[in-house]
Amino acid sequence: MSAFPEDIQSSLNSIRPRLLGFARLQLRSAAAAEDVVQDALEAALANLSKFAGAAAFQTWVFSILKNKIIDELRRNSRMECDVDAEAALDETVAELFNERDHWAEMPAAWGNPQGSLEQKRFWEVMEACLDNLPAAPARVFTMREFLDLETEEICKELAISPSNCWVLLHRARIGLRECLGRRWFGESTA
Amino acid sequence: MMMSCKHATELISQGLDRPLSRSERLRLRLHLLLCLGCRRTQAQFRFLREAMRQHPWKL
Ligand SMILES: [Zn+2]
């Protein structure tokens, strides 16, 4: 390791927390995240000659990590069944709508939520809300919105049908909307 | 017969993941015109995407 220039080392050290957080969101396991980040960093160091310029470095390491995560998800594509979290989300969805499937209660407005993105605390709440989702919708949502995969790719990786994929994405968005509404945008619980 | 809000939220979500058909788009647009709750939901689903794009762990 000491053979590598110091700025590479410090650059790797400085992005490590973000790499770990990124991987943890996808894999939902701190241990699996450690493994995959370690893997990606080793691959990055072994292939240092392939990247050029400090600006591209982070992007390059991230793309390596992204591929490692997709490999890991593919290897481990059977999604665990999260009985309690699934039941809680079912209930959340059921309570939103009345017997005619219209809003039981008008969803509150969030005003101008854009400013939240600047706040560190917002991302902590977001992470907690993602962790609260059942494994299946959380995984599909993060593959879609975090790894930027198209639904066809997600279906292929996880061996599920497109309609199943859309159902999971809808449930994830509903669940996150409810959680952020309650825990960040200050909606009162009815 | 107006589309249900539940179905409207499904189409709003799917609209982020696949192109909606012409008739789906028309029916959804009509529903949104009349339904504040679903307009808010659409804005919030879009915000979720925007937020994930700007996630500090993401590059
Ligand atoms: Zn509606």
Side-chain angles (χ1 to χ4, degrees), chain A residues 137-154:
Chain A
R139 175 170 293 183
V140 173
F141 181 80
T142 51
M143 288 176 92
R144 177 79 183 106
E145 306 291 11
F146 218 47
L147 293 178
D148 301 315
L149 296 178
E150 294 297 329
T151 24
E152 299 92 87
E153 298 172 88
I154 300 172

Side-chain angles (χ1 to χ4, degrees), chain B residues 4 7-8 13 17 26 29 32-33 35 37 44 46 51-53 55 59:
Chain B
S4 75
H7 185 50
S13 178
D17 305 313
L26 285 174
R29 206 176 299 159
L32 289 173
L33 222 63
C35 180
Q44 289 159 352
R46 283 176 176 164
M52 292 305 277
R53 293 238 156 103
H55 199 293
L59 215 76

Side-chain angles (χ1 to χ4, degrees), chain A residues 103, chain B residues 5 8 31 35 38:
Chain A
W103 295 109
Chain B
C5 293
H31 182 100
C35 180
C38 285

Side-chain angles (χ1 to χ4, degrees), chain A residues 19-20 23-24 26-39 65 68-69 72-73 75-76 139:
Chain A
L19 296 173
L20 273 175
R24 198 172 60 236
Q26 313 292 318
L27 302 173
R28 294 169 74 84
S29 146
E34 284 282 351
D35 287 350
V36 81
V37 167
Q38 198 53 41
D39 246 29
L65 177 65
K68 298 266 176 208
I69 290 173
E72 181 62 30
L73 290 173
R75 255 203 309 278
N76 188 10
R139 175 170 293 183

